mmCIF file of all heavy atoms in Angstrom:
data_model
loop_
_atom_site.group_PDB
_atom_site.id
_atom_site.type_symbol
_atom_site.label_atom_id
_atom_site.label_comp_id
_atom_site.label_asym_id
_atom_site.label_seq_id
_atom_site.Cartn_x
_atom_site.Cartn_y
_atom_site.Cartn_z
ATOM 1 N N VAL S 207 -1.196 68.395 63.579
ATOM 2 C CA VAL S 207 -2.045 69.387 64.237
ATOM 3 C C VAL S 207 -3.196 69.803 63.338
ATOM 4 O O VAL S 207 -4.105 70.475 63.769
ATOM 5 C CB VAL S 207 -1.235 70.651 64.643
ATOM 6 C CG1 VAL S 207 -0.252 70.305 65.720
ATOM 7 C CG2 VAL S 207 -0.512 71.265 63.449
ATOM 8 N N ARG S 208 -3.129 69.387 62.068
ATOM 9 C CA ARG S 208 -4.213 69.659 61.143
ATOM 10 C C ARG S 208 -4.450 68.443 60.263
ATOM 11 O O ARG S 208 -3.546 67.661 60.018
ATOM 12 C CB ARG S 208 -3.874 70.871 60.239
ATOM 13 C CG ARG S 208 -3.924 72.204 60.949
ATOM 14 C CD ARG S 208 -3.729 73.342 59.955
ATOM 15 N NE ARG S 208 -2.340 73.450 59.519
ATOM 16 C CZ ARG S 208 -1.915 74.321 58.613
ATOM 17 N NH1 ARG S 208 -2.770 75.140 58.030
ATOM 18 N NH2 ARG S 208 -0.654 74.382 58.289
ATOM 19 N N TYR S 209 -5.681 68.287 59.793
ATOM 20 C CA TYR S 209 -5.961 67.237 58.838
ATOM 21 C C TYR S 209 -5.441 67.660 57.454
ATOM 22 O O TYR S 209 -5.231 68.844 57.175
ATOM 23 C CB TYR S 209 -7.464 66.960 58.756
ATOM 24 C CG TYR S 209 -8.011 66.350 60.024
ATOM 25 C CD1 TYR S 209 -8.782 67.107 60.903
ATOM 26 C CD2 TYR S 209 -7.740 65.022 60.334
ATOM 27 C CE1 TYR S 209 -9.294 66.539 62.069
ATOM 28 C CE2 TYR S 209 -8.237 64.446 61.498
ATOM 29 C CZ TYR S 209 -9.008 65.211 62.356
ATOM 30 O OH TYR S 209 -9.498 64.652 63.491
ATOM 31 N N TRP S 210 -5.287 66.668 56.577
ATOM 32 C CA TRP S 210 -4.664 66.939 55.279
ATOM 33 C C TRP S 210 -5.415 67.995 54.487
ATOM 34 O O TRP S 210 -4.827 68.823 53.802
ATOM 35 C CB TRP S 210 -4.570 65.637 54.474
ATOM 36 C CG TRP S 210 -5.891 65.092 54.050
ATOM 37 C CD1 TRP S 210 -6.683 64.231 54.714
ATOM 38 C CD2 TRP S 210 -6.587 65.391 52.832
ATOM 39 N NE1 TRP S 210 -7.831 63.963 54.031
ATOM 40 C CE2 TRP S 210 -7.804 64.657 52.858
ATOM 41 C CE3 TRP S 210 -6.321 66.197 51.725
ATOM 42 C CZ2 TRP S 210 -8.723 64.716 51.830
ATOM 43 C CZ3 TRP S 210 -7.249 66.255 50.699
ATOM 44 C CH2 TRP S 210 -8.424 65.516 50.753
ATOM 45 N N TYR S 211 -6.748 67.973 54.574
ATOM 46 C CA TYR S 211 -7.538 68.897 53.757
ATOM 47 C C TYR S 211 -7.454 70.335 54.270
ATOM 48 O O TYR S 211 -7.929 71.261 53.618
ATOM 49 C CB TYR S 211 -9.003 68.446 53.689
ATOM 50 C CG TYR S 211 -9.654 68.208 55.025
ATOM 51 C CD1 TYR S 211 -10.122 69.265 55.806
ATOM 52 C CD2 TYR S 211 -9.814 66.902 55.493
ATOM 53 C CE1 TYR S 211 -10.717 69.022 57.030
ATOM 54 C CE2 TYR S 211 -10.412 66.660 56.726
ATOM 55 C CZ TYR S 211 -10.859 67.727 57.484
ATOM 56 O OH TYR S 211 -11.443 67.494 58.699
ATOM 57 N N GLU S 212 -6.850 70.549 55.444
ATOM 58 C CA GLU S 212 -6.715 71.889 55.993
ATOM 59 C C GLU S 212 -5.442 72.594 55.496
ATOM 60 O O GLU S 212 -5.241 73.765 55.776
ATOM 61 C CB GLU S 212 -6.711 71.835 57.523
ATOM 62 C CG GLU S 212 -8.013 71.311 58.112
ATOM 63 C CD GLU S 212 -7.968 71.216 59.621
ATOM 64 O OE1 GLU S 212 -7.199 70.376 60.124
ATOM 65 O OE2 GLU S 212 -8.674 71.987 60.287
ATOM 66 N N TYR S 213 -4.593 71.866 54.781
ATOM 67 C CA TYR S 213 -3.366 72.459 54.261
ATOM 68 C C TYR S 213 -3.609 73.080 52.883
ATOM 69 O O TYR S 213 -4.418 72.573 52.091
ATOM 70 C CB TYR S 213 -2.270 71.400 54.127
ATOM 71 C CG TYR S 213 -1.638 70.987 55.429
ATOM 72 C CD1 TYR S 213 -2.281 70.108 56.288
ATOM 73 C CD2 TYR S 213 -0.393 71.471 55.801
ATOM 74 C CE1 TYR S 213 -1.715 69.716 57.488
ATOM 75 C CE2 TYR S 213 0.196 71.087 56.987
ATOM 76 C CZ TYR S 213 -0.465 70.211 57.822
ATOM 77 O OH TYR S 213 0.113 69.831 59.001
ATOM 78 N N THR S 214 -2.886 74.118 52.575
ATOM 79 C CA THR S 214 -2.922 74.693 51.225
ATOM 80 C C THR S 214 -2.071 73.836 50.311
ATOM 81 O O THR S 214 -1.264 73.018 50.758
ATOM 82 C CB THR S 214 -2.367 76.129 51.225
ATOM 83 O OG1 THR S 214 -0.964 76.083 51.539
ATOM 84 C CG2 THR S 214 -3.099 76.998 52.235
ATOM 85 N N SER S 215 -2.232 74.018 49.027
ATOM 86 C CA SER S 215 -1.446 73.241 48.071
ATOM 87 C C SER S 215 0.039 73.519 48.228
ATOM 88 O O SER S 215 0.876 72.630 48.042
ATOM 89 C CB SER S 215 -1.902 73.550 46.641
ATOM 90 O OG SER S 215 -1.759 74.934 46.362
ATOM 91 N N GLU S 216 0.397 74.759 48.593
ATOM 92 C CA GLU S 216 1.812 75.086 48.798
ATOM 93 C C GLU S 216 2.358 74.363 50.030
ATOM 94 O O GLU S 216 3.478 73.845 50.011
ATOM 95 C CB GLU S 216 1.998 76.603 48.962
ATOM 96 C CG GLU S 216 1.746 77.429 47.713
ATOM 97 C CD GLU S 216 0.256 77.600 47.425
ATOM 98 O OE1 GLU S 216 -0.575 77.321 48.329
ATOM 99 O OE2 GLU S 216 -0.084 78.000 46.285
ATOM 100 N N GLU S 217 1.562 74.320 51.098
ATOM 101 C CA GLU S 217 2.009 73.669 52.321
ATOM 102 C C GLU S 217 2.207 72.172 52.119
ATOM 103 O O GLU S 217 3.053 71.551 52.765
ATOM 104 C CB GLU S 217 1.000 73.910 53.447
ATOM 105 C CG GLU S 217 1.043 75.326 54.008
ATOM 106 C CD GLU S 217 -0.053 75.544 55.045
ATOM 107 O OE1 GLU S 217 -1.192 75.082 54.833
ATOM 108 O OE2 GLU S 217 0.253 76.166 56.065
ATOM 109 N N ARG S 218 1.440 71.636 51.197
ATOM 110 C CA ARG S 218 1.550 70.189 50.983
ATOM 111 C C ARG S 218 2.875 69.809 50.334
ATOM 112 O O ARG S 218 3.217 68.620 50.275
ATOM 113 C CB ARG S 218 0.382 69.704 50.121
ATOM 114 C CG ARG S 218 -0.943 69.800 50.856
ATOM 115 C CD ARG S 218 -2.121 69.442 49.976
ATOM 116 N NE ARG S 218 -3.384 69.743 50.653
ATOM 117 C CZ ARG S 218 -4.565 69.624 50.098
ATOM 118 N NH1 ARG S 218 -4.679 69.220 48.847
ATOM 119 N NH2 ARG S 218 -5.654 69.923 50.781
ATOM 120 N N GLN S 219 3.582 70.771 49.830
ATOM 121 C CA GLN S 219 4.891 70.508 49.231
ATOM 122 C C GLN S 219 6.005 70.560 50.262
ATOM 123 O O GLN S 219 7.152 70.217 49.979
ATOM 124 C CB GLN S 219 5.194 71.523 48.117
ATOM 125 C CG GLN S 219 4.106 71.624 47.052
ATOM 126 C CD GLN S 219 3.786 70.293 46.430
ATOM 127 O OE1 GLN S 219 4.684 69.536 46.068
ATOM 128 N NE2 GLN S 219 2.490 69.995 46.316
ATOM 129 N N ILE S 220 5.687 71.009 51.474
ATOM 130 C CA ILE S 220 6.717 71.173 52.510
ATOM 131 C C ILE S 220 7.019 69.839 53.162
ATOM 132 O O ILE S 220 6.112 69.109 53.545
ATOM 133 C CB ILE S 220 6.242 72.179 53.584
ATOM 134 C CG1 ILE S 220 5.986 73.541 52.951
ATOM 135 C CG2 ILE S 220 7.261 72.298 54.709
ATOM 136 C CD1 ILE S 220 5.379 74.535 53.914
ATOM 137 N N ASP S 221 8.296 69.534 53.298
ATOM 138 C CA ASP S 221 8.703 68.319 53.985
ATOM 139 C C ASP S 221 8.197 68.382 55.421
ATOM 140 O O ASP S 221 8.409 69.355 56.130
ATOM 141 C CB ASP S 221 10.225 68.185 53.982
ATOM 142 C CG ASP S 221 10.667 66.882 54.609
ATOM 143 O OD1 ASP S 221 10.109 65.840 54.247
ATOM 144 O OD2 ASP S 221 11.565 66.920 55.468
ATOM 145 N N GLY S 222 7.536 67.340 55.869
ATOM 146 C CA GLY S 222 6.956 67.346 57.202
ATOM 147 C C GLY S 222 5.450 67.387 57.186
ATOM 148 O O GLY S 222 4.821 67.217 58.224
ATOM 149 N N TYR S 223 4.853 67.551 56.002
ATOM 150 C CA TYR S 223 3.403 67.677 55.939
ATOM 151 C C TYR S 223 2.686 66.329 56.131
ATOM 152 O O TYR S 223 1.770 66.192 56.909
ATOM 153 C CB TYR S 223 2.985 68.340 54.630
ATOM 154 C CG TYR S 223 1.643 67.859 54.126
ATOM 155 C CD1 TYR S 223 0.478 68.145 54.838
ATOM 156 C CD2 TYR S 223 1.557 67.095 52.974
ATOM 157 C CE1 TYR S 223 -0.749 67.664 54.401
ATOM 158 C CE2 TYR S 223 0.334 66.624 52.546
ATOM 159 C CZ TYR S 223 -0.803 66.911 53.246
ATOM 160 O OH TYR S 223 -2.001 66.444 52.824
ATOM 161 N N ASN S 224 3.146 65.288 55.395
ATOM 162 C CA ASN S 224 2.373 64.043 55.444
ATOM 163 C C ASN S 224 3.280 62.823 55.332
ATOM 164 O O ASN S 224 4.478 62.905 55.559
ATOM 165 C CB ASN S 224 1.303 64.024 54.336
ATOM 166 C CG ASN S 224 1.922 64.057 52.933
ATOM 167 O OD1 ASN S 224 3.123 63.838 52.780
ATOM 168 N ND2 ASN S 224 1.106 64.300 51.945
ATOM 169 N N ASN S 227 6.913 62.433 53.678
ATOM 170 C CA ASN S 227 8.148 63.011 54.193
ATOM 171 C C ASN S 227 8.890 62.005 55.047
ATOM 172 O O ASN S 227 8.447 60.882 55.245
ATOM 173 C CB ASN S 227 7.838 64.279 54.995
ATOM 174 C CG ASN S 227 7.039 63.952 56.235
ATOM 175 O OD1 ASN S 227 7.562 63.375 57.172
ATOM 176 N ND2 ASN S 227 5.751 64.292 56.219
ATOM 177 N N PHE S 231 5.883 64.119 60.812
ATOM 178 C CA PHE S 231 5.490 65.118 61.808
ATOM 179 C C PHE S 231 5.202 66.457 61.144
ATOM 180 O O PHE S 231 5.819 66.814 60.152
ATOM 181 C CB PHE S 231 6.606 65.357 62.836
ATOM 182 C CG PHE S 231 7.068 64.136 63.564
ATOM 183 C CD1 PHE S 231 8.320 64.106 64.144
ATOM 184 C CD2 PHE S 231 6.260 63.025 63.681
ATOM 185 C CE1 PHE S 231 8.739 62.987 64.829
ATOM 186 C CE2 PHE S 231 6.686 61.905 64.370
ATOM 187 C CZ PHE S 231 7.926 61.883 64.947
ATOM 188 N N ASP S 232 4.276 67.203 61.720
ATOM 189 C CA ASP S 232 4.150 68.604 61.353
ATOM 190 C C ASP S 232 5.396 69.310 61.890
ATOM 191 O O ASP S 232 5.697 69.234 63.080
ATOM 192 C CB ASP S 232 2.897 69.195 61.994
ATOM 193 C CG ASP S 232 2.773 70.677 61.696
ATOM 194 O OD1 ASP S 232 2.172 71.006 60.673
ATOM 195 O OD2 ASP S 232 3.286 71.476 62.498
ATOM 196 N N PRO S 233 6.179 70.012 61.062
ATOM 197 C CA PRO S 233 7.483 70.540 61.486
ATOM 198 C C PRO S 233 7.414 71.480 62.683
ATOM 199 O O PRO S 233 8.184 71.318 63.638
ATOM 200 C CB PRO S 233 7.990 71.268 60.229
ATOM 201 C CG PRO S 233 7.247 70.646 59.104
ATOM 202 C CD PRO S 233 5.913 70.268 59.637
ATOM 203 N N ALA S 234 6.494 72.444 62.653
ATOM 204 C CA ALA S 234 6.434 73.411 63.744
ATOM 205 C C ALA S 234 6.010 72.736 65.050
ATOM 206 O O ALA S 234 6.587 72.984 66.116
ATOM 207 C CB ALA S 234 5.475 74.539 63.384
#
Side-chain angles (χ1 to χ4, degrees):
V207 293
R208 287 186 286 177
Y209 292 106
W210 68 270
Y211 53 79
E212 297 178 293
Y213 284 78
T214 67
S215 59
E216 291 77 15
E217 286 175 319
R218 292 175 189 175
Q219 307 305 314
I220 299 174
D221 184 48
Y223 148 66
N224 63 14
N227 65 71
F231 303 158
D232 177 89

